[in-house]
Amino acid sequence: MDRPGTTELPPALVSQAGLSRIVELDIEGMTCASCVTRVERKLGKIEGVHASVNLPLESARVEVPAGVSDQELLSTVAAAGYQARVKEVPIKHGPEVTGAEPGRTSQIHEASRRPSSVDALLPRLAVAAALTIPVVLISMIPSAQFMDWGWWVAALALPVVTWSAWPFHRAAAVNARHGGSTMDTLVSIGVAASYLYSLVQLIVDPRMTEHPGMEMTGTGGLYFETAVVVTTFLLLGRWLEARAKSRAGDALRALLDRGAKQATLLRAGVESVVPAEQLVPGDLFVVRPGETIATDGIVRDGASAVDTSIITGESLPAEVTEGSPVTGATVNTSGRLVVEATRVGSETTLAAMARLVSEAQTGKAPIARLADRISGVFVPIVLAIVVLTFITWQVLGGSLPSSFTAAVAVLVIACPCALGLATPVGLLAGSGRGSQLGILIRGAQVLEDTRAVDTIVLDKTGTVTSGRLALDAVDTFGASDLDLVRLAAAVEAGSEHPLAKAIVAAEAARVASGIGGTRGTHDGGGQPAVVGFQSAAGGGVEGTVVEVSGESREVLVGRTDWIVPRLAEDGMPDAAQLAIFAERESGGATAVWVAVDRRVAGMLSLRDTVKPGSAEGIARLKALGLRPVLLTGDNAAVAARVAAEVGIAAQDVHAGVRPEGKVAVVKRLQAGGARVAMAGDGVNDAPALAQADLGIAMGSGTDVAREAAELTVMGDDLRQVATAIELSRRTLSIIKANLFWAFAYNTIGIPIAALGLLNPMVAGAAMAASSVLVVTNSLRLTRFGR
């Protein structure tokens, strides 16, 4: 997740180095897609600057070339009519400084502590609602009216159309000063026009509401109730939007809150509790059962099961022992662990996850940019339609009140709130849910890519298979299976070779399960003693196994060309045994001979095991319309066996492919018209991941692979890859539905309002309802997979 060998430079140093940099801004005052378009357009006028602005997050991610200062960015945003500030990233001074860089985590927590839109809007909404009720009752029900009721209504409506509606008026004024118009312009004009028109009517004819029912049947027209109802409905819509957007971002905040706040530092055998952020690489810290692991590290002592669900989305705990990597924010469930910190602050997996999720939420797919461009020209067109509606009604002989009502209704119904929220809220909810499931969507473009891909290339080792050898078969020539494995494991215990580890693990599993007992051991468990251990790189191992009884046997384990010269003349493998060995190898296994006292006693066959979820994952990928292709550097026999086991067609298997050849396979598929996704986990997969139309990195793999991919699954299960594609496609589907209803709402509503068939109060309620509908539809993603 982090970029090995790189550090984040402060802006000044980046500029001096002549490099581009990423600046993240908090922006206040944006209310709709038109605001987003204006800020992006203004920043884009600075040479070399590329900005992506997110409305729900009220933030911007800006790519800045050398020579452009932060202040220039802030001034440009201010010139567009909005307030901005840079999200500060503390500079890391080195391991000797306590309080290591909190990085991305602190930035997002800082953002979450900013004044909430929900809290800011609630008092204005409460006042508006409290005053709107009597205004509507008095205005609409003759029996509720009294002498000069119009003046009382005007007084009650005044706080609503001024203080409660102030957010709309302020935004409209700011944009007007900069020669622009937004959704708030429509709202402000509609509310102000309704109130001022009514007030003028009262001033011109002070006695028009002298008696109950006069305005209802009189010549004038009062629209105080329209002004307050529109304000109240729009504030309600904004408040509900703010609540929903806050919910959509809860997944990311919950993710960050799971990080440990304290760590038990271990120095010179003495434990002390320190803030987790003070850990630096190389520190040892203790994690007891039930505690959260403070940061990424490697287990140096102890064994336990670790709940990794927050990172991988997998419910089963992962077993860890000495030498196992562990991830910050996961939970130790059983034994005591001593962990050496390897990554801290912004370099941790948790911080990198948050960074990727935030980047994805700030990004834009082409479908979102289309909505932004439309919104940018929408408001001026609507204002022109309003004027045309009023004039047309007057020309056709309509009364002044009816002309005014139609024009105000067009103003209100046309507000493109839903249009501006359609994409970013959908992406916010989708990527937030993804983070809970251990799925990281790197950017909005990924949503388009997952829809288009029709072929998925799967690297075998580490993606389809575990990448770890396991004992597959035991062939004995006189000795028992149990004795052969026990003796082989005894000498292999001194080797670090993957073959040795697999044999030792197989014997340990037998002992743990109680199969065969522990004959020959000194302490009732573990391996018998071995003396004279020797290891030949690429050949094999040998040593003398000493039993409890004092009996000793010389044991050799190795490949044919190494072991045969060491055998006694009467201990050589015969033709039948050589045939069995060849059969095991041709079947895709790695076979080794075991000799006792210089005579062949049997052979052990080991295989890379297929992951439990691979077959199901590939079946789900097929159901999504994807053609699975297996890619491996192993021989054809191994590849064919794995493909048959997981359900990949024989013609879609590419074996013996070198790392540089993986890119060629992807290019060949693309040249044939396929839209290719690639899933892999190794350094040698990175070029192919980058070449593919959609790169998917398995989270258990290398940093290089994760950086080359657009989508990362934090687990190592192909079922999670299928889930990631399902979630991405579901998110895109929700966004499209949002945009459809937003466009349909405006397209249908404006003509109806222009024809005078829509009361402004109803228009205000419908407009607020459309925005809430879009946000509610997006929040369905938070239940994905449940």
Side-chain angles (χ1 to χ4, degrees):
M1 307 283 290
D2 58 326
R3 300 178 186 266
T6 64
T7 22
E8 209 164 332
L9 298 175
L13 295 183
V14 176
S15 298
Q16 291 169 10
L19 304 173
S20 64
R21 59 193 174 94
I22 298 296
V23 176
E24 297 192 6
L25 303 176
D26 287 325
I27 301 178
E28 297 179 11
M30 297 189 301
T31 56
C32 68
S34 299
C35 303
V36 169
T37 303
R38 178 170 298 105
V39 175
E40 288 182 340
R41 188 171 60 244
K42 286 282 189 180
L43 288 171
K45 288 181 179 179
I46 304 174
E47 187 175 354
V49 170
H50 302 281
S52 181
V53 179
N54 186 284
L55 177 60
L57 293 179
E58 296 181 293
S59 65
R61 181 175 173 80
V62 190
E63 185 179 344
V64 184
V68 176
S69 66
D70 291 351
Q71 187 55 50
E72 187 173 352
L73 298 178
L74 299 180
S75 299
T76 301
V77 174
Y82 307 93
Q83 294 179 325
R85 63 185 180 86
V86 177
K87 290 182 179 178
E88 294 294 338
V89 180
I91 301 172
K92 193 172 185 176
H93 297 287
E96 73 279 1
V97 179
T98 59
E101 176 185 354
R104 183 71 196 172
T105 302
S106 66
Q107 292 175 32
I108 298 177
H109 276 305
E110 180 184 348
S112 69
R113 289 194 299 265
R114 285 157 46 196
S116 167
S117 298
V118 178
D119 297 335
L121 288 171
L122 189 57
R124 297 182 189 274
L125 174 60
V127 169
L131 295 177
T132 294
I133 293 173
V135 168
V136 171
L137 291 176
I138 295 171
S139 300
M140 305 297 292
I141 302 175
S143 60
Q145 294 170 357
F146 44 84
M147 183 176 293
D148 291 323
W149 60 266
W151 293 99
W152 286 94
V153 167
L156 290 171
L158 185 60
V160 178
V161 300
T162 52
W163 186 74
S164 292
W166 177 245
F168 305 114
H169 299 317
R170 179 187 177 280
V174 168
N175 285 291
R177 283 204 304 271
H178 295 88
S181 56
T182 66
M183 177 210 74
D184 296 288
T185 305
L186 305 182
V187 175
S188 179
I189 292 175
V191 170
S194 299
Y195 185 86
L196 292 175
Y197 176 84
S198 303
L199 186 61
V200 169
Q201 288 283 89
L202 269 182
I203 293 173
V204 170
D205 184 6
R207 301 180 62 186
M208 69 180 299
T209 58
E210 185 176 10
H211 301 291
M214 286 186 64
E215 189 273 331
M216 303 291 293
T217 57
T219 58
L222 299 183
Y223 295 94
F224 293 121
E225 75 280 4
T226 297
V228 296
V229 168
V230 166
T231 298
T232 302
F233 273 134
L234 296 189
L235 280 174
L236 176 62
R238 284 273 178 93
W239 182 72
L240 291 174
E241 289 165 18
R243 282 190 64 195
K245 286 185 287 187
S246 177
R247 280 183 57 198
D250 282 347
L252 182 55
R253 283 188 289 274
L255 180 71
L256 294 168
D257 287 340
R258 288 286 295 274
K261 305 300 185 291
Q262 294 180 322
T264 304
L265 187 64
L266 182 64
R267 282 182 179 166
V270 178
E271 297 182 7
S272 59
V273 177
V274 299
E277 63 183 18
Q278 290 187 9
L279 290 174
V280 297
D283 278 347
L284 294 177
F285 61 94
V286 177
V287 189
R288 292 182 171 81
E291 292 182 346
T292 299
I293 297 174
T295 193
D296 294 0
I298 295 175
V299 176
R300 293 307 182 199
D301 184 48
S304 182
V306 175
D307 179 0
T308 63
S309 58
I310 184 176
I311 300 295
T312 66
E314 297 173 359
S315 57
L316 292 177
E319 298 292 332
V320 297
T321 58
E322 185 176 339
S324 299
V326 290
T327 304
T330 57
V331 179
N332 180 21
T333 64
S334 51
R336 177 182 182 272
L337 297 176
V338 176
V339 179
E340 178 185 346
T342 56
R343 293 172 177 165
V344 298
S346 63
E347 297 176 355
T348 63
T349 300
L350 183 70
M353 284 180 66
R355 183 164 56 247
L356 284 180
V357 173
S358 183
E359 288 172 3
Q361 293 173 346
T362 307
K364 279 192 173 64
I367 195 170
R369 294 202 175 275
L370 172 64
D372 288 347
R373 287 195 297 271
I374 292 174
S375 295
V377 298
F378 185 77
V379 174
I381 291 175
V382 168
L383 292 174
I385 293 175
V386 169
V387 174
L388 183 62
T389 298
F390 185 84
I391 293 174
T392 301
W393 272 80
Q394 287 291 289
V395 169
L396 295 178
S399 65
L400 185 61
S402 61
S403 302
F404 178 79
T405 299
V408 170
V410 171
L411 274 174
V412 174
I413 200 69
C415 296
C417 294
L419 188 61
L421 292 168
T423 298
V425 175
L427 185 58
L428 185 65
S431 56
R433 178 59 180 152
S435 70
Q436 292 177 322
L437 296 173
I439 297 166
L440 303 182
I441 303 171
R442 184 177 285 271
Q445 180 64 45
V446 175
L447 304 180
E448 303 281 350
D449 294 339
T450 57
R451 177 189 61 175
V453 294
D454 53 26
T455 302
I456 182 164
V457 175
L458 304 169
D459 174 62
K460 181 185 75 70
T461 306
T463 302
V464 178
T465 65
S466 65
R468 296 183 298 273
L469 292 172
L471 185 62
D472 181 64
V474 179
D475 294 287
T476 58
F477 312 132
S480 70
D481 288 4
L482 296 175
D483 207 35
L484 191 74
V485 175
R486 185 179 63 82
L487 292 172
V491 292
E492 290 284 20
S495 172
E496 290 296 320
H497 194 278
L499 286 171
K501 290 183 177 180
I503 294 170
V504 172
E507 173 62 11
R510 289 180 186 230
V511 172
S513 63
I515 298 176
T518 56
R519 185 179 66 82
T521 62
H522 287 295
D523 56 3
Q527 297 294 338
V530 176
V531 296
F533 172 81
Q534 294 184 30
S535 174
V541 296
E542 60 181 308
T544 300
V545 178
V546 181
E547 305 286 7
V548 175
S549 63
E551 177 188 2
S552 63
R553 287 182 282 184
E554 188 179 3
V555 179
L556 294 83
V557 184
R559 306 289 290 170
T560 305
D561 56 355
W562 177 84
I563 203 169
V564 167
R566 291 167 170 76
L567 297 177
E569 187 175 343
D570 60 349
M572 295 288 186
D574 58 29
Q577 293 166 352
L578 288 171
I580 295 173
F581 189 93
E583 181 183 351
R584 296 297 188 195
E585 292 261 296
S586 64
T590 299
V592 293
W593 297 98
V594 180
V596 178
D597 295 330
R598 302 286 171 171
R599 290 176 173 78
V600 168
M603 71 182 71
L604 305 178
S605 301
L606 301 102
R607 293 182 188 272
D608 180 9
T609 55
V610 172
K611 293 178 182 177
S614 291
E616 181 186 339
I618 288 171
R620 286 174 57 188
L621 291 169
K622 286 181 178 179
L624 290 169
L626 299 177
R627 165 193 166 202
V629 174
L630 187 67
L631 202 60
T632 179
D634 280 343
N635 61 56
V638 173
R641 179 185 63 81
V642 171
E645 191 171 340
V646 298
I648 296 178
Q651 64 268 26
D652 289 329
V653 177
H654 298 265
V657 180
R658 296 181 62 82
E660 59 271 19
K662 295 183 178 182
V663 175
V665 171
V666 172
K667 287 182 176 179
R668 194 157 58 243
L669 290 168
Q670 290 171 326
R675 295 296 297 274
V676 181
M678 164 78 183
D681 72 326
V683 172
N684 59 8
D685 296 324
L689 289 170
Q691 173 64 38
D693 299 291
L694 175 66
I696 305 172
M698 307 299 286
S700 60
T702 64
D703 296 326
V704 176
R706 291 197 288 262
E707 289 297 338
E710 291 84 31
L711 194 153
T712 299
V713 293
M714 297 306 296
D716 60 356
D717 192 325
L718 277 179
R719 289 173 294 192
Q720 207 173 16
V721 173
T723 299
I725 293 176
E726 289 166 353
L727 174 61
S728 296
R729 289 184 175 181
R730 180 63 175 157
T731 301
L732 183 63
S733 174
I734 289 286
I735 290 173
K736 284 185 171 182
N738 288 347
L739 289 171
F740 170 79
W741 288 112
F743 279 120
Y745 163 80
N746 289 122
T747 302
I748 296 171
I750 290 175
I752 294 175
L755 291 172
L757 302 176
L758 195 62
N759 184 284
M761 289 188 292
V762 177
M767 196 218 74
S770 70
S771 296
V772 174
L773 174 65
V774 161
V775 176
T776 304
N777 189 43
S778 299
L779 288 177
R780 290 165 55 202
L781 288 166
T782 63
R783 298 190 297 273
F784 175 86
R786 289 177 175 161

